Amino acid sequence: MTTTLAIGGYSDTDFAALTSEFDPVFLGGPDELAGLEAEARSAITAVAYKGHAPFGGDQMDMLPNLGIIANYGVGYDAIDTTAASARGIKVTNTPNVLNDDVADLAVGMMLCQGREMMQASAWARSGDWAKNGEYRLNRKVSGSTVGILGLGRIGREIADRLAAFKMDIHYYARSEKDTPGWTYHGDPVSLAQAVDFLVVALVGGADTEKFVSKEVIAAMGPNGVLINISRGTTVDEAALLDALESGRIAGAGLDVFLNEPNIDPRFYALDTVVIQPHQGSGTVQTRAAMGQLQRDNIAAFHAGADLLTPVN
Ligand code: 8YV
């Protein structure tokens, strides 16, 4: 009887690799746990987890011998780590291997939003270019002032890239960091007031819920553009939609939303918003590295060795 359970929507490559290493039982989501026989649940000591559906104490209690939840992703806000620790269950994630891709997407959305690349492409494709001439002038991105909300591993990769775009870099973090002269703000409202682009690179979870509040959004002003590659929960989304619809901020580039993939349809009506389907880490190379790290953590657990990237 298998000791590993793989929960979530895995690619064919990850499915094959998980199968060859652990021959796990696959479930689409934690809600399918109840469908497993009690004997099969008792045999499970390791869960390979992928997705954003909550995995809490109730689910853990259905797997009485569980020792590890290896998350496929750097953000593990879906997993109740307090409940896991209380049950002696270790949780691991996949940090660092996705920093470049997520930072690339943040910069890409800034360029796409400012240079109106989606609309300009539609202009060319529709024949407007040939019929009506040059596409309208848009907004210079290089040389802007940018605020990074959360200067962790990914936030720093974004800032490093934007330094090459000759940007004046400001940041918010819980405490001042060692930087090459970037401007520190201890208050997100003061950061939002000071910048043109505000990039959210916070960790998700209860502590950062609606951290980008109505006040922070108001402080961005009519030239402000919000970029979010973290979690939908970090932004007061109702306040964001109101500000976008009324032109109180200039636009947004969003890879993450509340209720993914069934996002608020009000976003679809806004051509000032670049919408991405939570694909920050979604390249062949990075997903291969994430899958490998997830499996390496499970293999270490089964071998009784030190875990590579524990979070609790
Ligand atoms: C997802 C992510 O894990 O790493 C994270 O925190 O949000 C993503 O990389 C990925 O979409 C798989 O669900």
Side-chain angles (χ1 to χ4, degrees), residues 1 9 30 56 118 121 142 171 227 236 254 273 284-285 295 305 310:
M1 198 165 283
M118 302 287 200
S121 178
S142 278
Y171 70 99
I227 304 294
D236 182 337
L254 307 171
V273 181
V284 171
Q285 295 84 348
R295 293 190 300 278

Side-chain angles (χ1 to χ4, degrees), residues 49 53-56 60 69-71 75-82 84 91-92:
Y49 195 69
F55 194 91
M60 296 170 200
I69 304 168
N71 188 49
Y76 50 88
D77 45 311
I79 300 165
D80 185 340
T81 49
T82 309
V91 178
T92 60

Side-chain angles (χ1 to χ4, degrees), residues 50-52 72-76 94 98 230-231 278 281 287 290:
K50 179 166 187 269
H52 303 282
Y72 185 108
V74 65
Y76 50 88
T94 60
L98 43 59
S230 64
R231 286 288 183 267
H278 198 152
S281 66
R287 288 290 169 88
M290 289 165 70

Side-chain angles (χ1 to χ4, degrees), residues 22-147:
F22 309 113
D23 195 18
V25 170
F26 284 91
L27 296 181
D31 54 327
E32 293 174 19
L33 271 169
L36 281 182
E37 298 286 339
E39 199 193 349
R41 285 191 275 108
S42 285
I44 298 300
T45 57
V47 165
Y49 195 69
K50 179 166 187 269
H52 303 282
F55 194 91
D58 289 351
Q59 285 75 33
M60 296 170 200
D61 287 340
M62 297 177 79
L63 302 166
N65 294 308
L66 187 60
I68 184 174
I69 304 168
N71 188 49
Y72 185 108
V74 65
Y76 50 88
D77 45 311
I79 300 165
D80 185 340
T81 49
T82 309
S85 297
R87 290 160 177 77
I89 300 167
K90 297 299 289 180
V91 178
T92 60
N93 68 342
T94 60
N96 293 321
V97 292
L98 43 59
N99 296 353
D100 281 337
D101 276 351
V102 179
D104 287 354
L105 195 77
V107 175
M109 288 196 295
M110 289 174 71
L111 292 168
C112 194
Q113 202 284 335
R115 301 306 311 275
E116 300 184 1
M117 288 166 73
M118 302 287 200
Q119 296 95 317
S121 178
W123 180 264
R125 285 172 186 274
S126 70
D128 274 342
W129 186 17
K131 203 164 73 196
N132 297 320
E134 279 189 350
Y135 182 69
R136 71 179 178 211
L137 303 185
N138 42 72
R139 176 176 177 163
K140 181 169 177 174
V141 177
S142 278
S144 304
T145 304
V146 64

